[in-house]
Amino acid sequence: AVRQAVGPAIMYSVNTITLTTLSLVVMLRISPSLTLLSLIPMLLMAPVTLYFGNLIHKRWTRIQDQLAVLTTLVQENLSGVRIVRAYVQEHAQEADFDVVSREYIRRNISLARVSAGFDPALAFLTGTGLLIVLVVGGRQVMNGQLTIGELVAFNTYLAMLIWPMIAIGWVTNLFQRGAASYVRLQEIVTAQPTVAEAAEPVYVDIKGRIEFHNVGFRYPGTDRLVLKDVSFTIDAGQTAAMVGPTGAGKSTIVALLTRRYDPTSGAVLLDGVPLHEISLEQLRATIGIVPQDAFVFSETIADNIALGLPHAVSGAGADPATAQRNIEHVARVARLDEAVA
């Protein structure tokens, strides 16, 4: 929709302005009074275009919103197809899709109804202008004020104005759709991360001492505290485990340690330095994570294991022998070597 707005819409806008200007100049030279009379219906085009343009903008925004719901539903069903089949939920998911899809159709029909009224309204106004010219211009010909040739020429140029006038509506339609879609794109492009890099980040000689001081945390948009007054210290080289039921906050503590979020209250320190002062790149490069949900890239097993090494297996400056030894060592530590073999 944005591409249509910055492509054909702009092109036809220039076309419309040029053709309208040239036609009006010639019409005024033939008969200024007849030109003014024929343009009276055209004056109504501005409010009509604004009215319909506003309706189109609102309806197109609602269509885009529903399309987002529809595509999300499809994406989730494709990603979770094994779960859907394992729980025999095919028919239930089909029913959900049917409801969402019908709503999408309903919103499109609503827009189609508006568009169906827009073009005829513009055609009616331009047709009224032609009718005025035929009535008034015909009398001027009979009175000798105009020749038949001038009236025919005038009608020809007025007819040439009809397409630009209709094109105004079409171009307005494209601009309104493009504007509605552009706003949705901007929400993503201009989104600011909730965790921001410090203005002057500190680079620390990291040893690994972790400290939580009276940490409290609630997820954005919620009121419930997930963590409250959590304090503990893990010395460098020490091994620690957190055990607790689902929802106790174990994953949240890891998320705070890697600065996926900042604490709502209290402080998290690494070697005595608050995390929000440390360079994000250094912090995250220092910490190794095994996520709860494994993701495997469409590469070799070696490339997947080597993800995060200073040099990828096949990257520039890579030493194949060293990389191979590192990968084999990691595979043994992770007990993956037997499966690989």
Side-chain angles (χ1 to χ4, degrees):
V2 173
R3 180 178 61 81
Q4 288 288 322
V6 299
I10 291 177
M11 182 183 71
Y12 281 108
S13 295
V14 174
N15 178 285
T16 298
I17 292 169
T18 305
L19 197 57
T20 300
T21 303
L22 294 175
S23 297
L24 283 175
V25 168
V26 178
M27 288 165 62
L28 284 168
R29 291 184 64 180
I30 294 173
S31 175
S33 60
L34 198 57
T35 301
L36 293 175
L37 285 171
S38 66
L39 291 180
I40 288 174
M42 308 298 182
L43 296 177
L44 295 174
M45 281 193 167
V48 167
T49 300
L50 286 173
Y51 172 75
F52 278 100
N54 186 45
L55 291 180
I56 289 168
H57 183 92
K58 289 179 179 178
R59 280 164 171 73
W60 185 250
T61 300
R62 294 183 70 242
I63 286 172
Q64 293 288 78
D65 290 341
Q66 189 64 16
L67 180 61
V69 175
L70 184 70
T71 51
T72 299
L73 181 63
V74 172
Q75 186 267 332
E76 287 176 350
N77 272 274
L78 291 174
S79 300
V81 65
R82 293 180 180 178
I83 300 297
V84 172
R85 288 182 172 179
Y87 287 89
V88 198
Q89 290 298 300
E90 293 94 336
H91 293 303
Q93 291 301 313
E94 285 175 12
D96 287 346
F97 179 82
D98 189 56
V99 171
V100 174
S101 184
R102 287 183 184 278
E103 176 61 19
Y104 180 62
I105 291 170
R106 189 189 67 77
R107 294 186 184 188
N108 271 282
I109 290 173
S110 175
L111 175 62
R113 286 199 181 103
V114 173
S115 298
F118 193 14
D119 291 341
L122 295 180
F124 173 77
L125 292 174
T126 54
T128 303
L130 281 171
L131 182 63
I132 291 172
V133 170
L134 287 174
V135 173
V136 178
R139 287 183 178 177
Q140 289 183 356
V141 169
M142 288 186 286
N143 295 332
Q145 295 172 284
L146 280 179
T147 67
I148 293 178
E150 287 174 330
L151 180 60
V152 171
F154 190 93
N155 263 328
T156 301
Y157 284 109
L158 183 60
M160 289 173 63
L161 276 179
I162 292 176
W163 160 242
M165 292 299 124
I166 293 174
I168 288 174
W170 182 65
V171 166
T172 301
N173 196 325
L174 289 181
F175 275 128
Q176 291 296 346
R177 291 184 180 206
S181 299
Y182 183 70
V183 169
R184 290 179 61 81
L185 289 175
Q186 283 296 96
E187 288 175 4
I188 297 171
V189 174
T190 61
Q192 296 297 317
T194 53
V195 173
E197 179 79 274
E200 296 182 1
V202 176
Y203 289 85
V204 182
D205 182 16
I206 294 176
K207 300 292 189 296
R209 179 182 172 85
I210 298 167
E211 299 172 74
F212 274 59
H213 288 175
N214 300 319
V215 170
F217 178 74
R218 61 169 59 90
Y219 281 98
T222 65
D223 296 324
R224 186 176 70 88
L225 278 171
V226 179
L227 301 176
K228 183 178 180 181
D229 295 330
V230 174
S231 297
F232 62 84
T233 300
I234 303 173
D235 287 322
Q238 186 179 2
T239 299
M242 286 175 287
V243 182
T246 301
K250 304 183 297 296
S251 299
T252 303
I253 286 175
V254 175
L256 292 175
L257 182 58
T258 55
R259 274 205 82 196
R260 283 171 53 197
Y261 299 97
D262 283 330
T264 306
S265 59
V268 182
L269 293 84
L270 183 60
D271 291 325
V273 181
L275 288 190
H276 66 268
E277 296 180 8
I278 301 174
S279 161
L280 267 176
E281 183 180 4
Q282 184 193 22
L283 174 68
R284 290 174 179 168
T286 304
I287 301 173
I289 295 179
V290 180
Q292 289 173 306
D293 299 314
F295 183 85
V296 180
F297 288 91
S298 302
E299 302 290 345
T300 64
I301 296 174
D303 281 332
N304 272 279
I305 293 175
L307 185 71
L309 289 178
H311 297 293
V313 178
S314 56
D319 177 5
T322 302
Q324 185 68 26
R325 284 195 298 272
N326 289 338
I327 290 166
E328 289 174 356
H329 170 70
V330 170
R332 283 194 299 273
V333 170
R335 300 294 189 267
L336 188 64
D337 50 337
E338 289 184 11
V340 170

